Amino acid sequence: MRIDLHTHSDRSDGTDPPRLLMRRAREAGLDVLGLTDHDTTAGWAEAAEAAAEEGVTLVRGLEISCELEGHGVHLTAYLPDPTYEPLVEELQRVLDGRNARLPATLERLRDLGIDIEEEDVRRLAGDAAAMGRPHVADALVKKGVVSHRGEAFNTLLGSNGPAYVPRYAAPLEAMLHTVRDAGGVSVIAHPWAKRHNFGALDEARFAALKEEGLHGIEVDHQDHDEPTRERLRAIARNLGLVATGSSDYHGAGKRDHDLGCNTTAPEEYERLLALAEAAADASGRKTPEVLVP
Ligand code: AMP
Ligand code: ZN
Ligand code: FE
Ligand code: FE
């Protein structure tokens, strides 16, 4: 069984519509795909339709923009009730923050002599419910300022770049409670990716987060080198957290993140699903099924 639990469609900053993503999952030889767009479940319905057609199991999730001590932490949440009001409200706050950041980012670029209209970015973002820096990057590519998204991040949009503008992110601990109360399970995405790693997510902290409702750690990810993976795997083992692996596929939007480039072990996947079932029961919410074709 090949299981990839973290991917993006064009409902956030991936480039494939959900239907195409499901087809590519089949073509990549995946049995199970997790769709985890940033801060939105807008791709779930189309992916669900396509999952049956393509014969790929779909785990519906999302990657929530959180913060801990002022630093960004990405939380992948699987199978929460998407209608749970506190979740809906907090996601809307994040999406509003994304929308408010766009004009501010373009203002910074204008100060740098780069003129991009909000309309242009929104057109390039197409069906995206979650507007992000990658869409601004696409506009910079189109204008010929940079040659790909990565270069836009390296030179302008990255957190140390001259056109960086922060935005609202959900407090991590509160979000762990919200996901739990929505009947879902939580996995911290790429915790030790260099651009996120601020030293606070050590074993003691993971243990404390587990008490707040954390279920897993994404261990195998392109932003983790081999020693990092081994250390995180040991922490997951020590704490009884599920260890996942995934591609963080973004279509053409991110290099070196091909579907299935990292995968989750079937035993770990089964553990995560068992935890999700228990969370759903405890919450009393109507949560989405894993769609098995
Ligand atoms: P935002 O959510 O708007 O703050 O933008 C962050 C997103 O940009 C993340 O989801 C990343 O996947 C993406 N990203 C970050 N760095 C890069 C990069 N160097 N190349 C392409 N995408 C990136
Ligand atoms: Zn992304
Ligand atoms: Fe992420
Ligand atoms: Fe991601």
Side-chain angles (χ1 to χ4, degrees):
M1 264 231 292
R2 294 202 353 115
I3 302 155
D4 185 344
L5 288 179
H6 177 173
T7 67
H8 298 266
S9 77
D10 70 353
R11 297 312 189 267
S12 62
D13 57 359
T15 57
D16 296 343
R19 182 174 299 283
L20 178 59
L21 174 62
M22 296 311 297
R23 195 180 92 204
R24 295 234 156 105
R26 173 177 55 75
E27 289 168 354
L30 294 173
D31 302 289
V32 180
L33 187 90
L35 172 64
T36 52
D37 275 314
H38 297 284
D39 308 312
T40 182
T41 60
W44 282 15
E46 186 180 312
E49 277 180 32
E53 292 163 23
E54 301 296 344
V56 173
T57 294
L58 174 66
V59 180
R60 286 168 280 186
L62 64 170
E63 182 177 16
I64 306 172
S65 307
C66 294
E67 57 91 7
L68 180 65
E69 298 172 2
H71 294 267
V73 175
H74 289 180
L75 187 71
T76 39
Y78 298 97
L79 305 166
D81 173 0
T83 70
Y84 181 57
E85 201 53 42
L87 178 62
V88 172
E89 281 171 15
E90 191 62 356
L91 292 176
Q92 192 56 50
R93 216 165 287 144
V94 176
L95 294 175
D96 289 347
R98 288 179 168 282
N99 279 317
R101 180 172 60 168
L102 177 58
T105 303
L106 298 181
E107 197 54 50
R108 288 284 177 87
L109 287 172
R110 227 163 268 130
D111 292 343
L112 296 163
I114 303 165
D115 207 4
I116 288 173
E117 298 300 323
E118 187 166 334
E119 252 311 286
D120 294 336
V121 181
R122 293 204 179 270
R123 201 174 318 111
L124 285 169
D127 288 331
M131 182 62 66
R133 283 177 283 167
H135 302 113
V136 177
D138 289 345
L140 289 164
V141 171
K142 185 156 173 261
K143 217 178 155 58
V145 177
V146 294
S147 59
H148 55 88
R149 280 185 180 182
E151 189 185 343
F153 273 88
N154 291 340
T155 58
L156 293 161
L157 302 173
S159 56
N160 295 315
Y164 176 71
V165 177
R167 62 159 161 75
Y168 179 77
L172 179 63
E173 287 194 8
M175 185 48 78
L176 287 169
H177 302 163
T178 301
V179 170
R180 182 186 61 199
D181 296 345
V185 285
S186 291
V187 176
I188 295 202
H190 48 68
W192 289 358
K194 282 207 179 58
R195 110 192 108 78
H196 287 277
N197 193 1
F198 57 107
L201 286 171
D202 58 7
E203 182 159 347
R205 181 65 70 119
F206 280 121
L209 292 174
K210 186 182 177 194
E211 294 304 307
E212 305 301 328
L214 182 67
H215 300 93
I217 301 177
E218 186 179 56
V219 170
D220 290 299
H221 184 280
Q222 293 302 80
D223 292 352
H224 294 156
D225 62 16
E226 205 44 57
T228 299
R229 293 176 188 214
E230 288 320 311
R231 285 165 60 210
L232 281 171
R233 213 181 308 283
I235 290 175
R237 198 181 314 119
N238 293 343
L239 299 178
L241 290 166
V242 174
T244 67
S246 35
S247 63
D248 205 356
Y249 174 77
H250 279 70
K254 220 172 182 188
R255 298 174 169 194
D256 195 27
H257 286 263
D258 293 342
L259 282 170
C261 65
N262 299 293
T263 56
T264 298
E267 317 80 80
E268 299 293 311
Y269 172 63
E270 294 301 335
R271 280 178 67 208
L272 192 66
L273 292 192
L275 290 165
E277 207 170 304
D281 286 348
S283 73
R285 310 288 314 174
K286 187 172 170 347
T287 59
E289 304 282 328
V290 173
L291 292 176
V292 183

